[in-house]
Amino acid sequence: MNLTADTNSVEKDEDGTARSVDDFESLRGKSLSPSDNSLAAVEETKFDRGKWKRKSVVTLALTILTSSQSILIVWSKRAGKYEYSVTTANFSVESLKCAISLVVLGRIWKIEGVTEDNRLTTTLNEVILYPIPAALYLVKNLLQYYIFVYVDAPGYQILKNLNIISTGVLYRIILKKRLSEIQCAAFILLCAGCTTAQLNSNSDHVLQTPVQGWVMAIVMALLSGFAGVYTEAIIKKRPSRNINVQNFWLYIFGMAFNAVAILIQDFDAVMNKGFFHGYSLITILMILNHALSGIAVSMVMKYADNIVKVYSTSVAMLLTAVVSVFLSGFQLSLAFFLGITVVSVAIYLHSAGKLQR
Amino acid sequence: MNLTADTNSVEKDEDGTARSVDDFESLRGKSLSPSDNSLAAVEETKFDRGKWKRKSVVTLALTILTSSQSILIVWSKRAGKYEYSVTTANFSVESLKCAISLVVLGRIWKIEGVTEDNRLTTTLNEVILYPIPAALYLVKNLLQYYIFVYVDAPGYQILKNLNIISTGVLYRIILKKRLSEIQCAAFILLCAGCTTAQLNSNSDHVLQTPVQGWVMAIVMALLSGFAGVYTEAIIKKRPSRNINVQNFWLYIFGMAFNAVAILIQDFDAVMNKGFFHGYSLITILMILNHALSGIAVSMVMKYADNIVKVYSTSVAMLLTAVVSVFLSGFQLSLAFFLGITVVSVAIYLHSAGKLQR
């Protein structure tokens, strides 16, 4: 199955390099004698290369999965309206992610044995933070129904770019990681470039959004940014902890919150027509894709950060636009070219800004 | 008169600091004894501050003059069609610039006496390069009539942003001055931002420009960029030479080339209706403004460079748009906000990129 193959390739990487993180960290703990220094340097280079490779693989996976996600949505729209319930689909995504994490964990236990870092049992102290991102996303999804009172769908797509800014701001404030000034400038450009790429003749309507619409858009951007940054904080809190255990707990709470959403919104439909009513091949592919994207997001949070995640999903958005233009035979707009130019420069500046620290 | 006051204020600055350039340069020539070093440092700080102040004044003057230029054009369009001949107006601009340079030179001779650096007489070796920028502009202006076969006026406005790229590229190639990578990125952003700010619902037409239109637009951008960079090379070739003498020679050839243009294009009209036919108050104000802007461009070339000139005129373009929106009561578009954001980041990056060298 493609699904397992894909997860394995990420895992193989994880098996190969995850332990070298521990090795390196234990080396760091000791005060090294001069003769150990060259060994440490070699180790560090190897470690950096492994880290960089893993970061690239998960980022690439996220970009490809997110791109194909939007293409599946376009495909499913062509095929007709959604006839399945969105809440059961979300629940299925969470369950699938949870199942994948458990399968992978099983393999790891067979190879490495059960250790302190990969065992599923946890303390209240560790697990207590895990429901928070799922709760934040639930509130955000609820708000999403109300914002359409004030903003139309294309306007909402444009306002969603506020997520980029909110993620950047919260990343700096909450994770207290410094972005260089050049990198901050690059992030503003990323937001401006993505918005420019989405411009069309109706875009100016968004400037007429009433204050309530703006407030809701900003609150949603903050919730979404906060959930992302919070997830990173949880995952990074214990670097040696196996990512699949961390994912398992995140997804368990995701399942729980989505179960509540089913009860509130679709209880009757599920009772009358069954849980999987209206599922088609595309629905199943979308669930698969969302599950894999979700796992890729976790991996990016573990091995890179929210900033990389935002760049990755922004590039995916642009890739999707190019692909859907090719599929539909439309012409790309000047605004799209300008947006792509600005986003490309932003990506360059993000890495150029890093070198100068 | 406002005109003389304006030129004098730049000149006063010039009188104050131009000689310190020489002082500094003669200091540099000698190998300094250790005790001289602190004196040199003080001198250098003073020199840097004077240089920075002068650079700021001329850049600000250029920005303000260029902004008011476009507003005068809007005003003159409101007042009706141009009834004067454009070639005589261009000739008047060159003559006025020439006259201003001579008046200012007269004052300098009174104060400083005639020196090697401020005397008007010149060698063939020095003067031989001065006609080249004027000739390039003439070719460019001739091409301007033909490009409208392939591109409409708003499309041409967008294609003119290619000037930014051509100036940047030629500046690096011909003047062999290094821009840092961040500054190059900033320059690409400046071009993208200016274009974004000009986007409207018809902008996509420009992508349908036939190959001939693109080629002409690129050739015109190269001619314009080359003329600008060449002017800077001429003016900077002899730093101690008085800028008014350099301007005088540039403008004399400007007058000559424009006289040729009158003969070719408007000879009959001038003969029948007179040289100043159709001149109104706005025409005179526009000529005044063009003359002062032209002098400001020379000053920016002398004390700053083509890159600063491009930033200055780009900011002026955006300022003009804001002012004309206020005057006409239109609403600013989302594209304009995005363009301004990108240009602002570009300006920031240009100076941030400089610090890291």
Side-chain angles (χ1 to χ4, degrees):
Chain A
M1 250 167 64
N2 204 359
L3 169 66
T4 343
D6 218 354
T7 328
N8 277 349
S9 77
V10 179
E11 275 323 302
K12 235 176 264 159
D13 203 10
E14 143 101 340
D15 290 343
T17 348
R19 267 165 299 169
S20 80
V21 180
D22 298 351
D23 292 351
F24 181 66
E25 275 172 358
S26 62
L27 266 178
R28 269 208 174 152
K30 297 168 198 161
S31 62
L32 299 167
S33 70
S35 64
D36 282 343
N37 268 341
S38 63
L39 186 71
V42 172
E43 197 73 13
E44 189 160 0
T45 319
K46 231 199 266 174
F47 167 70
D48 276 348
R49 209 179 305 143
K51 218 176 135 187
W52 185 86
K53 192 186 148 200
R54 191 168 53 189
K55 197 171 150 177
S56 309
V57 168
V58 293
T59 308
L60 195 69
L62 179 60
T63 311
I64 293 168
L65 287 166
T66 314
S67 314
S68 47
Q69 197 172 300
S70 324
I71 290 160
L72 280 174
I73 290 175
V74 173
W75 186 16
S76 77
K77 271 188 191 160
R78 271 197 187 173
K81 276 193 174 176
Y82 305 114
E83 281 171 20
Y84 59 93
S85 90
V86 177
T87 53
T88 65
N90 285 343
F91 183 85
S92 306
V93 169
E94 295 300 312
S95 313
L96 186 56
K97 291 196 286 188
C98 211
I100 293 172
S101 300
L102 279 176
V103 168
V104 174
L105 264 179
R107 289 175 57 100
I108 293 175
W109 289 333
K110 258 187 206 163
I111 301 166
E112 298 184 19
V114 179
T115 67
E116 184 63 28
D117 284 334
N118 71 23
R119 68 191 173 87
L120 213 52
T121 49
T122 177
T123 59
L124 183 66
N125 207 18
E126 186 185 12
V127 90
I128 204 163
L129 303 169
Y130 283 77
I132 294 173
L136 288 171
Y137 280 122
L138 188 74
V139 175
K140 200 207 109 188
N141 289 338
L142 282 172
L143 275 179
Q144 202 158 321
Y145 287 94
Y146 295 102
I147 196 168
F148 288 112
V149 177
Y150 305 105
V151 193
D152 59 355
Y156 177 63
Q157 287 303 318
I158 284 179
L159 289 176
K160 263 173 81 176
N161 291 310
L162 288 171
N163 282 0
I164 298 177
I165 300 296
S166 69
T167 303
V169 170
L170 293 170
Y171 177 83
R172 277 194 77 158
I173 295 175
I174 296 173
L175 297 181
K176 290 192 184 70
K177 284 202 216 165
R178 281 208 49 201
L179 287 171
S180 72
E181 289 188 355
I182 302 278
Q183 287 182 317
C184 290
F187 223 59
I188 295 170
L189 290 174
L190 179 66
C191 181
C194 286
T195 314
T196 303
Q198 291 172 309
L199 283 181
N200 59 48
S201 47
N202 290 317
S203 305
D204 282 338
H205 286 317
V206 84
L207 294 175
Q208 269 100 48
T209 304
V211 184
Q212 298 98 312
W214 279 106
V215 170
M216 286 183 74
I218 291 167
V219 168
M220 283 172 68
L222 287 173
L223 282 170
S224 162
F226 195 74
V229 169
Y230 204 89
T231 307
E232 184 179 340
I234 295 173
I235 288 180
K236 291 243 174 87
K237 202 184 169 197
R238 198 175 145 188
S240 62
R241 188 69 156 141
N242 192 290
I243 178 68
N244 297 289
V245 178
Q246 296 178 313
N247 279 347
F248 173 81
W249 286 107
L250 278 174
Y251 303 150
I252 278 287
F253 289 108
M255 285 170 71
F257 279 101
N258 278 294
V260 173
I262 295 177
L263 287 179
I264 297 173
Q265 283 179 20
D266 290 320
F267 184 74
D268 289 342
V270 168
M271 278 297 138
N272 295 332
K273 302 192 225 162
F275 192 88
F276 294 107
H277 74 268
Y279 277 45
S280 65
L281 177 66
I282 298 171
T283 318
I284 293 163
L285 285 175
M286 279 174 73
I287 288 172
L288 255 173
N289 182 294
H290 269 83
L292 293 175
S293 309
I295 291 172
V297 167
S298 281
M299 296 279 179
V300 168
M301 300 286 190
K302 180 93 178 176
Y303 302 121
D305 52 44
N306 265 285
I307 305 296
V308 170
K309 183 204 148 195
V310 170
Y311 275 99
S312 166
T313 47
S314 301
V315 169
M317 188 269 284
L318 298 179
L319 277 180
T320 311
V322 174
V323 171
S324 59
V325 160
F326 272 94
L327 290 180
S328 66
F330 273 121
Q331 231 208 332
L332 285 172
S333 70
L334 182 56
F336 188 78
F337 281 116
L338 293 168
I340 280 196
T341 306
V342 173
V343 169
S344 307
V345 174
I347 293 170
Y348 161 73
L349 288 171
H350 180 73
S351 68
K354 207 183 285 168
L355 294 168
Q356 280 142 11
R357 275 198 275 190
Chain B
M1 248 168 63
N2 204 357
L3 169 67
T4 343
D6 216 355
T7 329
N8 276 350
S9 77
V10 178
E11 275 323 301
K12 235 176 267 161
D13 203 9
E14 144 99 340
D15 289 343
T17 348
R19 267 166 299 169
S20 82
V21 179
D22 299 350
D23 291 351
F24 182 66
E25 276 172 357
S26 61
L27 266 178
R28 267 207 175 152
K30 298 167 197 160
S31 62
L32 298 167
S33 70
S35 65
D36 281 341
N37 268 341
S38 63
L39 185 72
V42 172
E43 198 71 14
E44 189 159 0
T45 319
K46 232 200 266 177
F47 167 71
D48 276 348
R49 210 181 302 144
K51 218 176 135 186
W52 186 86
K53 193 186 146 200
R54 192 167 55 190
K55 196 170 151 177
S56 309
V57 168
V58 294
T59 308
L60 196 68
L62 179 59
T63 312
I64 293 167
L65 287 165
T66 314
S67 314
S68 46
Q69 198 172 299
S70 324
I71 290 160
L72 279 174
I73 291 175
V74 173
W75 186 15
S76 76
K77 270 188 193 159
R78 270 197 189 173
K81 275 194 175 177
Y82 306 114
E83 281 170 21
Y84 60 93
S85 91
V86 176
T87 53
T88 66
N90 285 343
F91 184 83
S92 306
V93 168
E94 295 300 313
S95 313
L96 185 55
K97 291 196 284 187
C98 211
I100 293 172
S101 300
L102 279 176
V103 168
V104 174
L105 264 179
R107 289 175 57 100
I108 292 175
W109 290 331
K110 260 189 202 160
I111 299 165
E112 299 182 18
V114 178
T115 68
E116 184 64 28
D117 284 335
N118 70 24
R119 68 190 173 87
L120 213 54
T121 49
T122 176
T123 58
L124 182 68
N125 208 19
E126 186 186 11
V127 91
I128 204 162
L129 304 169
Y130 283 78
I132 294 172
L136 289 171
Y137 281 122
L138 188 75
V139 176
K140 200 205 110 190
N141 288 338
L142 282 172
L143 276 179
Q144 202 157 320
Y145 287 94
Y146 296 102
I147 195 168
F148 288 111
V149 176
Y150 306 106
V151 192
D152 58 357
Y156 177 62
Q157 286 303 317
I158 284 180
L159 289 176
K160 263 172 83 175
N161 290 311
L162 289 171
N163 282 0
I164 298 178
I165 299 297
S166 70
T167 304
V169 170
L170 293 170
Y171 177 84
R172 277 194 77 157
I173 295 175
I174 296 172
L175 297 181
K176 291 193 183 70
K177 283 204 215 162
R178 279 207 49 202
L179 287 172
S180 71
E181 287 188 357
I182 301 278
Q183 287 182 318
C184 290
F187 224 59
I188 296 170
L189 290 174
L190 180 67
C191 181
C194 286
T195 314
T196 304
Q198 292 173 308
L199 284 180
N200 59 47
S201 47
N202 290 317
S203 304
D204 282 340
H205 286 316
V206 84
L207 294 175
Q208 269 101 47
T209 303
V211 184
Q212 298 98 312
W214 280 105
V215 170
M216 285 183 75
I218 291 168
V219 169
M220 283 172 68
L222 287 173
L223 283 170
S224 163
F226 194 73
V229 169
Y230 205 88
T231 307
E232 183 178 341
I234 295 172
I235 289 180
K236 291 244 174 87
K237 202 184 170 197
R238 198 176 144 189
S240 62
R241 188 68 156 140
N242 192 289
I243 176 70
N244 297 287
V245 179
Q246 295 178 313
N247 279 347
F248 173 82
W249 286 107
L250 277 174
Y251 302 150
I252 278 287
F253 289 108
M255 284 171 72
F257 280 102
N258 277 294
V260 173
I262 294 176
L263 287 178
I264 297 173
Q265 283 178 20
D266 289 320
F267 183 73
D268 289 341
V270 168
M271 278 297 138
N272 296 332
K273 301 192 227 162
F275 192 89
F276 294 108
H277 74 270
Y279 277 46
S280 64
L281 178 65
I282 298 171
T283 318
I284 293 163
L285 285 174
M286 280 174 74
I287 289 172
L288 255 173
N289 181 294
H290 269 82
L292 293 176
S293 309
I295 291 173
V297 168
S298 280
M299 297 280 178
V300 168
M301 300 285 189
K302 180 93 177 175
Y303 303 121
D305 51 44
N306 265 285
I307 305 297
V308 170
K309 185 205 146 194
V310 171
Y311 275 99
S312 167
T313 47
S314 302
V315 169
M317 188 270 283
L318 299 179
L319 277 179
T320 310
V322 173
V323 170
S324 60
V325 160
F326 272 94
L327 289 179
S328 65
F330 273 122
Q331 231 207 333
L332 285 172
S333 69
L334 182 55
F336 189 78
F337 280 117
L338 293 168
I340 280 197
T341 306
V342 172
V343 170
S344 306
V345 173
I347 293 170
Y348 160 74
L349 288 170
H350 181 72
S351 68
K354 209 182 284 169
L355 293 168
Q356 281 142 9
R357 272 199 273 190

